[in-house]
């Protein structure tokens, strides 16, 4: 039976192979374990195995596992859809919010971070596929958003890069054009972002496509099922956020 530690080692080997094939250093790529619907013990096992960070999708689940010290020893990221009325539960609790998909959400994070006397690290989520079913900034909006945030006096958010989830692919390699477009957008944004942070990330690629994302230039992959196994949905509604 596979273990979380064994799965992490396997994923890291695949990351290294994909990076070398692209002429990249595997050390450039962070492995974020998407720990949604996995308990505190599973998170602790991933931390013990050297996961670079853990990413949660659900605020209520994250809060519960924080109380159980599930993430001690690894940075915690929030990678799911974040509603404005739950920002107060996330700001200051996580090292990085991946899913900042609107100016309204960004403003709420900035406001809450100011109230808490801290600066919150964020990524801008880009709707790279132009899908009506997904939120996120349009690619052509990214430069304006970064410039707008940089121009704010006393800002309390730090944009550290971009994130995207491309459309569901029918076959391997189908999302490569989206990944490449995101990489170009990221590279074009770097001169502005370096005014804001010296740590920059392009977060794209999940269990089914992270090798393609790495080939296109991803610096952080979010891997869930390949590490923790298949998720079992159907939890009571009151346990979801």
């Amino acid at each position: 039976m596979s273990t979380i530690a064994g799965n992490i080692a396997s994923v890291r080997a695949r990351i290294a192979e994909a990076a070398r094939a692209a002429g990249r250093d595997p050390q450039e790529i962070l492995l974020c374990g998407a720990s949604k619907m996995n308990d505190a013990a599973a998170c602790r096992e991933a931390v013990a195995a050297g996961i670079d960070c853990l990413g949660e999708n659900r605020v209520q689940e994250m809060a519960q596992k924080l109380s159980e010290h599930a993430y001690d020893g690894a940075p915690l990221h929030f990678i799911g859809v974040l509603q404005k009325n739950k920002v107060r539960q996330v700001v200051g609790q996580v090292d990085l919010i991946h899913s900042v998909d609107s100016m309204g959400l960004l403003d709420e994070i900035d406001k809450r971070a100011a109230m808490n006397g801290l600066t919150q690290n964020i990524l801008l989520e880009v709707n790279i596929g132009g899908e009506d079913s997904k939120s996120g900034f349009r690619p052509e909006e990214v430069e304006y958003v970064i410039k707008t945030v940089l121009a704010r006096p006393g800002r309390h958010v730090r944009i550290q890069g971009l994130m995207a989830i491309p459309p569901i692919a029918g076959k391997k390699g189908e999302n490569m054009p989206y990944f490449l477009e995101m990489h170009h957008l990221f590279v074009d944004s770097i001169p502005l972002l370096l005014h804001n942070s010296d740590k920059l990330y392009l977060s794209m690629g999940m269990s089914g496509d992270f090798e393609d994302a790495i080939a296109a230039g991803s610096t952080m992959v979010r891997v869930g099922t390949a590490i923790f196994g298949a998720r079992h949905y159907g939890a009571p509604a009151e346990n979801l956020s």
Side-chain angles (χ1 to χ4, degrees):
M1 179 179 294
S2 62
T3 65
I4 289 173
N7 290 342
I8 289 173
S10 176
V11 169
R12 286 202 185 278
R14 291 169 60 189
I15 288 172
E17 183 178 356
R20 285 192 291 267
R24 300 180 60 196
D25 181 353
Q27 297 301 314
E28 297 173 356
I29 299 139
L30 293 179
L31 175 57
C32 184
S35 46
K36 177 177 73 173
M37 300 182 71
N38 288 277
D39 63 14
C43 293
R44 293 190 199 102
E45 189 175 343
V47 172
I51 198 79
D52 294 320
C53 57
L54 288 169
E56 288 293 348
N57 290 65
R58 300 173 175 186
V59 174
Q60 186 173 330
E61 180 181 345
M62 182 194 80
Q64 175 63 36
K65 287 192 275 190
L66 274 169
S67 72
E68 297 169 344
H69 300 280
Y71 315 111
D72 289 3
L76 174 60
H77 295 185
F78 190 82
I79 61 176
V81 175
L82 180 57
Q83 299 169 351
K84 286 191 284 187
N85 64 354
K86 295 189 177 180
V87 164
R88 60 183 175 79
Q89 296 172 263
V90 175
V91 167
Q93 297 296 318
V94 302
D95 293 87
L96 183 64
I97 301 174
H98 289 224
S99 48
V100 179
D101 58 9
S102 70
M103 284 302 298
L105 178 59
L106 191 154
D107 290 342
E108 187 64 27
I109 292 169
D110 195 3
K111 175 183 173 182
R112 179 58 58 173
M115 292 172 63
N116 292 354
L118 55 87
T119 298
Q120 178 65 59
N121 296 323
I122 65 170
L123 303 180
L124 301 182
E125 181 174 356
V126 181
N127 187 350
I128 196 63
E131 297 174 272
D132 292 338
S133 60
K134 288 181 182 174
S135 56
F137 295 101
R138 298 191 305 273
E140 61 270 22
E141 294 178 311
V142 169
E143 181 179 351
Y144 169 79
V145 172
I146 296 172
K147 286 182 175 178
T148 298
V149 172
L150 289 176
R152 291 180 175 176
R155 65 183 180 275
H156 288 266
V157 292
R158 181 183 296 115
I159 303 174
Q160 292 195 302
L162 308 177
M163 182 274 268
I165 303 173
I168 296 173
K171 57 184 178 181
K172 183 174 175 57
E174 199 169 73
N175 274 333
M176 185 61 79
Y178 297 110
F179 288 141
L180 289 171
E181 185 178 354
M182 276 300 303
H183 183 250
H184 292 154
L185 184 61
F186 176 64
V187 170
D188 288 346
S189 301
I190 285 174
L192 284 174
L193 291 171
L194 284 173
H195 289 288
N196 181 83
S197 176
D198 59 354
K199 290 184 178 180
L200 301 181
Y201 306 107
L202 175 58
S203 174
M204 60 182 191
M206 297 185 286
S207 288
D209 58 12
F210 68 81
E211 285 138 325
D212 287 340
I214 290 168
S218 175
T219 68
M220 186 187 305
V221 295
R222 308 177 304 274
V223 179
T225 56
I227 290 174
F228 296 103
R231 298 186 179 101
H232 301 287
Y233 292 89
E238 64 267 25
N239 290 334
L240 307 182
S241 62

